[in-house]
Amino acid sequence: MSSTNEVILSTDGLTKSFGGLVAVSDVSLDVERGAIKAIIGPNGSGKTTLFNLITGALPPSSGRVYFEGQDITGFSMHQRTRRGISRSYQITNIFPYQTTFENIRLAVQGCSGRQVNFYGMLKKAGEYSEFHEKVIDIAAIVGLDAARLYVPAALIPHADQRKLEIAMALATEPKLLLLDEPAAGMSIEEIPDVIDAIVRVKESYGDELTLLVVEHKMDIVMRLSEEIFVLSEGRMIAKGTPKEIQENEQVLTAYLGGTDEELA
Ligand SMILES: Nc1ncnc2c1ncn2[C@@H]1O[C@H](COP(=O)(O)OP(=O)(O)OP(=O)(O)O)[C@@H](O)[C@H]1O
Ligand SMILES: [Mg+2]
């Protein structure tokens, strides 16, 4: 895993209140281009809200978001997507009766060259043979079996559906990809498969892709991340390497009284 010294994403004092509840409180973090970093924290600690502030799904109460040195705090989600910030699609965005291949191709066609192009999506599939290769490439990177490509998306295993969601996000050619609990809903046997897929994606794209992964469980991010940010009740209580975080007393306490089981 490599990363450059150039900061691609930065938040400065990011804060979000819902009425009296401060869901994200004064969070400042830097992510370097090409890095793979994680945000962890117990349930309700503000991880998803922080993601929503970065993608523009929610406006912050205060604080700033910078992307490639530009203040994007006032930008819409669409403007951020065009600049290269993408989050994993949820399975609800997938056409269940279309094949896995068709779903990826629609994402590739619709977002070709990072210009989201709705008219392009309506054109005949046959006009787009040039997208075929790209679909096959992306499917291979996330580890979708060739045999599964021609099966309706609703019928493939859960782990493959998660890989499909990641593939569709990659089709938009993001510079920064945000994954919110990529292993959620997976069985114990499926989790390593999904983690492998993320590792492979990172290796394939190198510094072209920066990854920020939200996770509840630390074991999921141990193998993945070079740096982990820990949220507790909206505040960043620690940041460091996976090893530093695992040994951090404050982090252990934040996780339900700090049982090793919760962290392992
Ligand atoms: N739209 C909203 N309106 C009001 N409160 C909200 C809203 N979204 C989140 N919250 C509250 O903000 C806090 C942080 O929620 P958030 O979803 O960001 O936590 P999380 O760390 O992602 O949790 P989980 O691990 O369960 O996914 C919680 O107390 C939650 O109830
Ligand atoms: Mg969440």
Side-chain angles (χ1 to χ4, degrees):
M1 280 176 237
S2 68
S3 68
T4 60
N5 288 325
E6 179 205 349
V7 172
I8 188 168
L9 174 79
S10 169
T11 73
D12 182 18
L14 217 46
T15 299
K16 180 69 185 180
S17 307
F18 296 111
L21 175 84
V22 186
V24 170
S25 180
D26 196 23
V27 171
S28 300
L29 57 81
D30 286 337
V31 181
E32 292 77 22
R33 189 185 293 278
I36 174 161
K37 299 199 177 188
I39 299 165
I40 66 163
N43 288 126
S45 55
K47 305 181 295 296
T48 299
T49 304
L50 179 57
F51 254 30
N52 287 335
L53 298 175
I54 294 170
T55 61
L58 287 173
S61 305
S62 61
R64 318 299 303 174
V65 183
Y66 299 91
F67 185 67
E68 296 187 312
Q70 185 177 22
D71 187 338
I72 60 161
T73 315
F75 285 24
S76 67
M77 277 182 84
H78 185 60
Q79 287 173 307
R80 294 179 204 213
T81 306
R82 280 220 312 263
R83 273 168 182 74
I85 301 179
S86 177
R87 74 189 300 163
S88 171
Y89 280 65
Q90 293 300 303
I91 199 71
T92 46
N93 291 113
I94 287 170
F95 297 107
Y97 303 111
Q98 299 281 355
T99 64
T100 308
F101 182 94
E102 283 297 316
N103 272 284
I104 303 174
R105 191 174 62 187
L106 284 167
V108 169
Q109 282 180 202
C111 307
S112 170
R114 207 173 288 123
Q115 294 298 310
V116 179
N117 177 2
F118 297 105
Y119 297 104
M121 290 177 76
L122 300 175
K123 289 192 181 175
K124 283 215 176 67
E127 294 172 38
Y128 288 95
S129 55
E130 74 265 30
F131 293 123
H132 187 275
E133 208 172 315
K134 193 172 169 193
V135 173
I136 299 291
D137 283 350
I138 293 176
I141 289 168
V142 298
L144 276 167
D145 227 38
R148 298 255 163 76
L149 285 180
Y150 304 101
V151 173
L155 300 181
I156 62 175
H158 277 114
D160 283 348
Q161 289 180 349
R162 189 57 42 87
K163 291 180 202 168
L164 173 57
E165 291 167 8
I166 296 170
M168 290 171 71
L170 289 172
T172 69
E173 299 179 357
K175 296 172 186 169
L176 172 67
L177 177 59
L178 301 126
L179 302 174
D180 193 352
E181 301 208 27
M186 299 294 112
S187 67
I188 296 287
E189 301 78 50
E190 287 173 316
I191 289 175
D193 196 22
V194 173
I195 297 174
D196 285 349
I198 298 169
V199 169
R200 224 172 17 246
V201 164
K202 189 66 201 73
E203 284 172 358
S204 303
Y205 288 86
D207 286 345
E208 301 282 299
L209 182 71
T210 306
L211 273 168
L212 192 54
V213 182
V214 154
E215 255 306 328
H216 172 69
K217 290 207 160 232
M218 196 193 276
D219 59 334
I220 307 279
V221 297
M222 285 301 286
R223 250 191 74 207
L224 286 177
S225 334
E226 35 202 80
E227 186 174 40
I228 295 175
F229 305 110
V230 187
L231 290 186
S232 174
E233 297 176 354
R235 297 194 159 272
M236 201 201 294
I237 59 162
K239 62 178 175 177
T241 62
K243 188 169 183 300
E244 285 166 351
I245 295 303
Q246 253 191 337
E247 291 166 356
N248 185 307
E249 287 296 327
Q250 229 189 326
V251 176
L252 292 166
T253 311
Y255 269 84
L256 291 176
T259 61
D260 287 344
E261 209 179 318
E262 181 72 9
L263 277 168

